[in-house]
Amino acid sequence: MASNASESAVPAIAHPTPGDSFGVAANIVYHSQFSSRFSPFKFEVEQAFYATAASVKDALVQRWNETYKHFHEEDPKQVYYLSMEFLQGRALTNAIGNLGLSDAYAAALTKLGHDLENVREQEKDAALGNGGLGRLASCFLDSMATLDLPAWGYGLRYKYGLFKQIISSKGQEEYAEDWLEKSSPWEIVRHDVTYPVRFFGEVQVDSDGRRKWIGGEVMQALAYDIPIPGYNTKNTISLRIWEARVPAEDFDLYAFNAGKHEEAVQLQLKADQICSVLYPGDSTEDGKLLRLKQQYMLCSASLQDIFSRFKERRGAISWDEFPNKVAVQLNDTHPTLAIPELMRILMDDEGLGWDQAWNITSSTIAYTNHTVLPEALEKWSQVVMAKLLPRHMEIIAEIDKRFQVLVARTRPELESKLEALQVLDNSNPEKKLVRMAHLCVVSAHSVNGVAELHSEILKKELFSDFYSLWPEKFNNKTNGVTPRRWLRFCSPELSAIITKWLRTDKWVTNLDLLSGLREFAENKQLQEEWNAAKLANKVRFADYLLKVVGVEVNPQTLFDIQIKRIHEYKRQLLNILSVIYRYKTIKEMSPEERANTVPRTVMFGGKAFATYAQAKRIVKLVTDVGAVVNNDPNVSPHLKVVFIPNYNVTVAELAIPASELSQHISTAGMEASGTSNMKFALNGSLIIGTLDGANIEIREEIGEDNFFLFGARADDVPRLRKEREQGKFVPDPRFEEVKDFIRSKAFGDFDYEPLLEALEGDTGYGRGDYFLVGQDFPGYLDAQDKVDETYKNRAKWMKMSILSTAGSGKFSSDRTISQYANEIWQVGQCRVP
Ligand code: 26V
């Protein structure tokens, strides 16, 4: 390996579009010397990564510039996706893959004494999100770029993304993850794009009655752009993330020179706090205030940017044109403040009247709901809102007042329910609240759920009265995932087989073509190739587990995976209880009986919210069970239990292709959609699951014979909960046995009582098996027996696996985004020639 790239035979040449491997290598050498963040005399794998990324960035920036210029000239209607979360993961593989330069980069690095596989391992995940909602936003950006849509993402540049999870003997521990420690090679700081963002202050009324928000603290939002390349297109769009700072002129040099050092840097400290962490804990008032500041920073800066572009692109401004040029999609309620902010700008800054501003606002804004869990629906204190954003609070109150008038006038029969429907929740005079979801539903022209069942629940339950007022607003957009990251790049082996059998690689942008695999599902040759690719992925993942986690797993066992946020409703507890039952059963078997079982490796991964005690107990139980099972010489050849620490996008890219069975077992009606279910099915992993979220549509598409179904239906859940409360439920003896086994300290003396108590129906503790683990336990065990039986028949399993992939066409985010573009945004393609 060349320790110094300048000593290699390759000259340093700066060229954004080199094309061949020699040109690529020359460009990498150039960056290792002239734009590296490290000593130019070192060219170890880390330097190689940064130089490689810098060279890829050149190509992206060139395309990004062309795209921006093209959009500017064509002036199409643009869509802006506002999200507090983007879970981008790594970018290198995706970028060179989308540019069609994977081979050139691999060859170039070989010339320079490096290996692309090792180089890409150097990249840190950009984890500016928690889970499904953030990853969905990132898949959407990929599809928007690939579909040549004039679209932008807007987010925040948190210094610390989602915490790093370490598993110790105490269970989960959280540590700050500084993804910017050695800077991100992808972002472009835009010193020419800054906006003032105000907090606190007061509302001043002019002599002509016009209102103006003045005073308070003014910070600056600085833009960073992350280029997002489309696949097989020049179009490269932008994820613009904002950083809060204080302009130099606001630094109090006099105070500082007078020795008041801390006082002088106060404002800077406050600015730093805004973009310090994703989801600052909100158990304290300060924590809540900070989160609200973050939300407003995103909305204020993004809208100023949108206005500036709108104005820049035309001479005379006709405000009624605004909704014909701008669509804003709110990713959940987190960016709801865009609604009063848009009203404020139009009325106070641009001088429009209420009605005109309201028409523009509601025809511009659309809202996506991502959960029906009451504890996850945002409500802000009116007192805090009025203090931090006094003018916005006035506007929200006016929206609420007009909503009440509208209901009284048009739907008097709803008046008895009005209090529950209002935007302002004044039911507790001590704690008056703003219901952000209601503000969205009242204001936006479109409200969508993320899977068919979820959208039906929104119409029939959560927002039923709003639905009766405005049925035309409500629609469904079933989620999707990008086939580039989640099949083409994460499983090149399986992709090559698919391309070979379909005789085209067009499935990468037209995922419906996968249905062409159906006719070969029973073909022995394909089944063998399929099995070999899956096995290669299992071996790769086993290597990772050994190297990174230090556990040895046997790739010949059934790989059974549940990876997602740890939450009671997702029921990792149901999974581990059944594993315990399996352990007991195997332990009691004779050696001959054991030899007849299907050996399994059951893997869990996911982070528990730092303050969510029950979720953390579940993590602890999984690791404790693993310690016992894996060290039991009689059982461990047949069963292993692994907790994969620090689950993130990169781990998912390794685990999903290696999976044969995946678990999507939420209590019916509680998982809005799920998106990993789509990634697993796409990769030929069979699903064991409930009729919840997108599982229902996946099962429809891949065929019910290819899905291990169990569990209560969403319609039955309320009745079952009631019966549970009334003590009418008779638990399966195996359920009792498993709980007793944990109580017997078989897995150590950690206090699991709060977990076990919550599974009792009538103790008054918690919500009395609210998630119906006991109810669904026997059906789940039966479904698991079916899994084992089926796995013994390899031909059958392979056929089901191929049919899972073949039936996954619908779950491309390209399909989802086309539907948003056509049915909500009315935005068309704008392809760079
Ligand atoms: C957040 C919280 C925070 C407080 C504790 C309880 C709790 C429960 C749920 C949530 C989720 C908030 C929204 C969210 O992430 N929804 C996810 O969105 C995905 C993309 O649409 C979807 O696939 C998942 O089903 C949905 O949970």
Side-chain angles (χ1 to χ4, degrees):
M1 185 200 298
S3 65
N4 178 347
S6 65
E7 284 165 11
S8 73
V10 181
I13 302 173
H15 193 319
T17 49
D20 65 355
S21 66
F22 186 82
V24 167
N27 204 29
I28 294 173
V29 172
Y30 170 83
H31 282 290
S32 79
Q33 293 172 24
F34 299 106
S35 60
S36 161
R37 294 158 181 84
F38 302 94
S39 158
F41 303 110
K42 250 195 193 167
F43 194 60
E44 276 150 29
V45 64
E46 189 175 37
Q47 287 82 357
F49 164 70
Y50 277 96
T52 302
S55 106
V56 175
K57 188 169 128 188
D58 283 354
L60 297 183
V61 169
Q62 194 186 44
R63 284 154 195 259
W64 187 91
N65 287 336
E66 281 179 50
T67 307
Y68 189 85
K69 187 162 162 271
H70 186 64
F71 290 174
H72 191 78
E73 285 159 5
E74 297 289 311
D75 190 24
K77 181 172 181 182
Q78 278 208 207
V79 59
Y80 299 98
Y81 198 80
L82 265 60
S83 178
M84 288 286 282
E85 301 186 27
F86 288 91
L87 209 43
Q88 292 282 95
R90 288 179 178 160
L92 181 61
T93 304
N94 190 69
I96 59 179
N98 278 9
L99 293 170
L101 290 174
S102 305
D103 293 343
Y105 269 90
L109 283 164
T110 306
K111 278 194 215 316
L112 298 174
H114 282 289
D115 174 22
L116 178 58
E117 288 299 315
N118 296 332
V119 167
R120 60 170 136 236
E121 295 301 312
Q122 295 296 310
E123 185 172 359
K124 276 201 173 187
D125 271 41
L128 308 183
N130 276 290
L133 172 145
R135 184 52 232 176
L136 184 77
S138 294
C139 281
F140 279 6
L141 292 180
D142 183 87
S143 285
M144 292 190 279
T146 298
L147 293 169
D148 298 319
L149 293 181
W152 289 62
Y154 279 115
L156 284 189
R157 184 173 180 271
Y158 308 99
K159 179 167 160 43
Y160 303 110
L162 190 55
F163 64 87
K164 189 196 296 180
Q165 178 194 53
I166 294 196
I167 304 296
S168 74
S169 58
K170 284 181 263 167
Q172 169 180 299
E173 291 178 24
E174 304 90 28
Y175 293 89
E177 178 82 281
D178 187 355
W179 71 293
L180 296 169
E181 188 185 2
K182 294 185 181 169
S183 80
S184 159
W186 306 109
E187 51 178 22
I188 305 153
V189 55
R190 297 277 172 205
H191 290 288
D192 52 336
V193 184
T194 61
Y195 299 99
V197 176
R198 188 185 306 276
F199 297 108
F200 305 107
E202 62 207 309
V203 180
Q204 191 185 58
V205 189
D206 284 0
S207 50
D208 58 357
R210 199 158 149 177
R211 304 180 87 80
K212 203 160 181 59
W213 181 27
I214 55 160
E217 266 168 24
V218 181
M219 308 213 174
Q220 193 180 57
L222 168 66
Y224 287 75
D225 283 328
I226 298 177
I228 310 289
Y231 180 88
N232 230 343
T233 170
K234 261 194 181 171
N235 281 47
T236 298
I237 61 172
S238 198
L239 166 56
R240 180 160 280 185
I241 51 180
W242 302 105
E243 182 185 69
R245 32 176 239 170
V246 180
E249 65 263 28
D250 288 350
F251 181 74
D252 195 342
L253 196 57
Y254 284 104
F256 196 83
N257 284 337
K260 298 175 186 164
H261 302 150
E262 291 199 356
E263 192 184 307
V265 297
Q266 275 312 308
L267 199 60
Q268 184 60 52
L269 280 180
K270 286 184 187 167
D272 290 347
Q273 283 168 12
I274 293 180
C275 290
S276 58
V277 293
L278 168 79
Y279 276 107
D282 60 1
S283 53
T284 64
E285 285 310 306
D286 276 352
K288 288 197 180 83
L289 182 70
L290 184 57
R291 171 98 178 135
L292 193 60
K293 280 184 169 178
Q294 293 184 325
Q295 296 189 344
Y296 182 63
M297 167 73 54
L298 169 66
C299 295
S300 167
S302 306
L303 278 174
Q304 291 181 72
D305 201 38
I306 292 167
F307 269 89
S308 117
R309 196 163 308 114
F310 176 73
K311 288 181 172 174
E312 186 187 59
R313 288 186 188 171
R314 68 213 68 245
I317 288 167
S318 150
W319 286 111
D320 290 325
E321 267 291 285
F322 194 83
N324 300 329
K325 291 293 174 188
V326 176
V328 172
Q329 188 70 38
L330 306 183
N331 196 24
D332 216 295
T333 54
H334 317 149
T336 302
L337 288 168
I339 294 165
E341 176 67 355
L342 186 49
M343 290 294 288
R344 186 192 68 79
I345 297 173
L346 290 170
M347 294 190 302
D348 300 359
D349 296 350
E350 304 296 346
L352 272 54
W354 180 278
D355 291 335
Q356 197 187 3
W358 180 249
N359 286 336
I360 292 169
T361 300
S362 67
S363 20
T364 301
I365 304 264
Y367 156 62
T368 306
N369 172 283
H370 294 268
T371 183
V372 297
L373 297 194
E375 66 270 35
L377 294 175
E378 286 190 299
K379 293 188 185 110
W380 288 105
S381 147
Q382 291 179 30
V383 173
V384 172
M385 184 90 78
K387 204 170 117 203
L388 186 71
L389 303 165
R391 179 63 181 128
H392 299 79
M393 191 60 233
E394 283 184 357
I395 292 170
I396 293 168
E398 182 67 21
I399 292 174
D400 188 49
K401 200 175 101 192
R402 288 173 186 247
F403 170 66
Q404 292 179 59
V405 171
L406 177 94
V407 172
R409 207 184 60 223
T410 60
R411 296 286 302 280
E413 77 279 11
L414 280 182
E415 274 206 271
S416 61
K417 297 188 183 167
L418 192 55
E419 256 182 47
L421 291 178
Q422 276 180 245
V423 175
L424 299 186
D425 176 358
N426 297 330
S427 57
N428 179 353
E430 304 290 302
K431 216 178 144 209
K432 295 186 174 182
L433 300 167
V434 183
R435 299 179 177 118
M436 302 307 263
H438 291 199
L439 181 52
C440 285
V441 176
V442 169
S443 311
H445 70 276
S446 165
V447 177
N448 76 280
V450 290
E452 273 165 24
L453 174 70
H454 170 58
S455 295
E456 285 307 306
I457 293 174
L458 293 186
K459 292 196 286 191
K460 296 206 179 103
E461 291 165 39
L462 193 64
F463 299 140
S464 58
D465 292 315
F466 292 113
Y467 175 61
S468 79
L469 272 161
W470 301 296
E472 69 288 352
K473 282 191 189 186
F474 287 79
N475 64 92
N476 174 55
K477 296 287 168 281
T478 298
N479 282 166
V481 302
T482 168
R484 272 73 65 185
R485 183 177 294 263
W486 296 113
L487 179 55
R488 177 62 192 83
F489 303 141
C490 73
S491 186
E493 302 84 354
L494 207 60
S495 296
I497 292 166
I498 293 169
T499 297
K500 177 183 147 191
W501 284 79
L502 295 179
R503 296 164 182 272
T504 172
D505 65 359
K506 290 213 160 57
W507 58 269
V508 178
T509 47
N510 180 1
L511 205 62
D512 287 329
L513 292 178
L514 289 181
S515 64
L517 290 171
R518 282 199 183 110
E519 61 171 301
F520 310 118
E522 287 177 279
N523 183 299
K524 283 279 154 286
Q525 174 70 27
L526 173 59
Q527 290 197 352
E528 262 171 44
E529 292 175 19
W530 198 266
N531 192 33
K534 292 293 302 185
L535 184 62
N537 291 340
K538 287 168 75 179
V539 169
R540 189 158 48 117
F541 189 47
D543 288 346
Y544 169 86
L545 292 174
L546 185 60
K547 212 172 77 195
V548 179
V549 188
V551 294
E552 202 175 336
V553 304
N554 178 358
Q556 300 300 335
T557 59
L558 192 170
F559 275 17
D560 165 348
I561 304 188
Q562 187 177 21
I563 40 180
K564 47 184 86 236
R565 291 296 301 225
I566 312 290
H567 200 293
E568 288 165 284
Y569 85 80
K570 294 180 189 276
R571 297 199 294 189
Q572 284 93 353
L573 189 53
L574 176 61
N575 184 351
I576 195 66
L577 293 183
S578 93
V579 170
I580 294 171
Y581 182 73
R582 181 179 287 264
Y583 171 63
K584 277 198 83 203
T585 313
I586 297 177
K587 219 174 152 53
E588 287 157 14
M589 282 177 177
S590 68
E592 297 73 44
E593 284 172 318
R594 275 183 204 144
N596 238 332
T597 59
V598 173
R600 267 205 211 201
T601 304
V602 186
M603 296 174 248
F604 295 78
K607 295 179 182 177
F609 201 68
T611 53
Y612 190 173
Q614 287 293 63
K616 288 178 129 176
R617 288 185 189 105
I618 294 172
V619 173
K620 176 76 175 130
L621 179 60
V622 171
T623 54
D624 283 351
V625 171
V628 171
V629 172
N630 302 348
N631 289 308
D632 185 325
N634 292 328
V635 178
S636 65
H638 311 282
L639 177 65
K640 274 208 167 166
V641 182
V642 177
F643 190 88
I644 309 158
N646 203 36
Y647 175 57
N648 61 17
V649 172
T650 295
V651 173
E653 287 168 13
L654 278 167
I656 292 170
S659 161
E660 293 169 292
L661 180 75
S662 73
Q663 308 222 15
H664 307 277
I665 57 177
S666 50
T667 315
M670 301 197 78
E671 186 72 272
S673 161
T675 42
S676 76
N677 44 7
M678 300 169 183
K679 296 166 195 164
F680 279 104
L682 182 61
N683 280 275
S685 171
L686 304 191
I687 291 178
I688 181 166
T690 47
L691 283 180
D692 200 15
N695 283 0
I696 298 171
E697 291 158 75
I698 294 173
R699 180 167 168 268
E700 258 166 40
E701 294 292 313
I702 68 179
E704 51 188 67
D705 294 343
N706 303 310
F707 189 106
F708 298 102
L709 181 72
F710 74 97
R713 316 283 142 129
D715 286 345
D716 295 327
V717 164
R719 176 181 55 81
L720 291 167
R721 279 188 182 139
K722 192 162 280 160
E723 290 176 6
R724 195 86 168 85
E725 258 166 48
Q726 295 166 342
K728 287 188 193 158
F729 169 73
V730 185
D732 189 287
R734 295 170 294 181
F735 185 59
E736 299 301 294
E737 204 184 305
V738 168
K739 286 187 292 174
D740 290 343
F741 197 45
I742 299 172
R743 288 193 168 110
S744 77
K745 308 278 181 206
F747 305 104
D749 53 12
F750 181 83
D751 181 16
Y752 287 114
E753 207 45 43
L755 267 186
L756 300 170
E757 279 276 300
L759 295 174
E760 306 300 333
D762 42 17
T763 60
Y765 182 91
R767 292 189 274 191
D769 197 12
Y770 185 75
F771 303 100
L772 299 179
V773 176
Q775 171 71 38
D776 281 349
F777 192 70
Y780 180 61
L781 291 185
D782 292 346
Q784 289 288 14
D785 285 345
K786 245 185 226 143
V787 169
D788 288 329
E789 198 188 294
T790 312
Y791 196 76
K792 287 180 181 163
N793 181 346
R794 296 304 296 156
K796 185 169 179 203
W797 189 276
M798 279 303 131
K799 176 183 167 195
M800 291 168 77
S801 171
I802 295 167
L803 289 175
S804 292
T805 303
S808 291
K810 174 175 171 186
F811 305 102
S812 167
S813 47
D814 298 342
R815 186 267 313 149
T816 314
I817 284 298
S818 303
Q819 291 178 333
Y820 274 92
N822 296 329
E823 296 162 21
I824 300 179
W825 304 332
Q826 264 83 49
V827 164
Q829 293 186 319
C830 187
R831 188 176 171 92
V832 178

